[in-house]
Amino acid sequence: MISIPPRTATDAYFARWDGSRRLDLAFDLDLGELLEGHHVVARGLELSDGGGMLHYEFVPGLREDETDSKGPFFWYWMLSTEDDLGTDYSGDNNGAYDSKGGRAAHGSRHLGGVVPPSARRLRVTFRPAEGWTPPGPWCRELDVTLPDGPVTQTWTGPRRDAG
C-alpha cells in the first residue's frame, strides 16, 4: 500500500471534457505495484454507451526515460472483465495514459465492451505487466456492485497497510 495522492490527474482529465464525460462510479483503490516502480490506483469507472472504462493513475507517473531502460511495454499490465449477465467482453486491453510523469499520471483502460445497464455485478481481474513479479501483495480482482457500489478487492496475499 502507498499513500494515495488526491485524484488531481484524473479530475484534470475529465475537466478537459467540459462535463460531457465523468466517472459514473468513483473509488480510489491501490491495486499494488503492477509494474516495476509504479502502483496502479483505480480511480473509478466510466460506463458510457461507447464502452466501459476503468480510469486509473500510475503512482508515481511514468518517466519518458523508463521505456529506454525497461523496454517499450514495461507498463502494460492487463485486465479482463465479466458481469453477472455473461456479457462478452473483449480482452484487447486498449487504453491510453499520460506519459508526463509527476506524482501521479492519469490513464484509462477499456473494459472490452459496453456494460449493460441491467448488470448488477461487474468483476475486473488484473495481472501485472509481463515479466514483472510484484514485490508484495497486489489486487487481483475488483468486484463492483452496480450501479453505485460497494467495491470489494481481492488480493494475492495479505494486504499490507502503509506504515
Side-chain angles (χ1 to χ4, degrees), residues 27 76 120 155:
F27 44 82
Y76 198 63
R120 293 294 162 246
W155 286 70

Side-chain angles (χ1 to χ4, degrees), residues 1-2 31-39 128 131-138 155-158 160:
M1 290 286 297
I2 57 167
L31 304 180
E33 193 173 335
L34 296 182
L35 60 148
E36 184 180 0
H38 303 273
H39 282 241
W132 171 246
T133 301
W138 50 277
W155 286 70
T156 59
R160 299 182 306 195

Side-chain angles (χ1 to χ4, degrees), residues 1-148:
M1 290 286 297
I2 57 167
S3 176
I4 297 175
R7 198 182 307 139
T8 308
T10 298
D11 290 344
Y13 170 83
F14 281 108
R16 292 192 300 266
W17 289 91
D18 295 324
S20 66
R21 294 178 64 189
R22 65 182 175 85
L23 286 176
D24 295 295
L25 180 59
F27 44 82
D28 298 304
L29 301 171
D30 179 12
L31 304 180
E33 193 173 335
L34 296 182
L35 60 148
E36 184 180 0
H38 303 273
H39 282 241
V40 174
V41 175
R43 296 302 193 171
L45 295 174
E46 181 181 7
L47 303 172
S48 71
D49 292 340
M53 297 184 79
L54 173 74
H55 288 270
Y56 67 91
E57 293 178 9
F58 286 125
V59 178
L62 305 182
R63 297 181 325 273
E64 289 183 33
D65 68 326
E66 286 183 286
T67 300
D68 295 333
S69 63
K70 297 177 183 176
F73 295 106
F74 81 97
W75 52 267
Y76 198 63
W77 54 277
M78 304 293 285
L79 70 74
S80 60
T81 309
E82 63 183 74
D83 65 33
D84 58 325
L85 302 176
T87 305
D88 187 26
Y89 293 95
S90 72
D92 54 15
N93 277 278
N94 289 332
Y97 66 90
D98 181 354
S99 61
K100 293 180 183 161
R103 184 171 182 208
H106 173 264
S108 60
R109 188 67 62 87
H110 294 271
L111 296 179
V114 175
V115 178
S118 57
R120 293 294 162 246
R121 184 192 52 78
L122 188 71
R123 176 172 289 152
V124 185
T125 305
F126 305 99
R127 285 194 335 258
E130 187 173 335
W132 171 246
T133 301
W138 50 277
C139 179
R140 62 182 163 85
E141 190 171 274
L142 293 180
D143 278 310
V144 182
T145 302
L146 298 172
D148 47 7

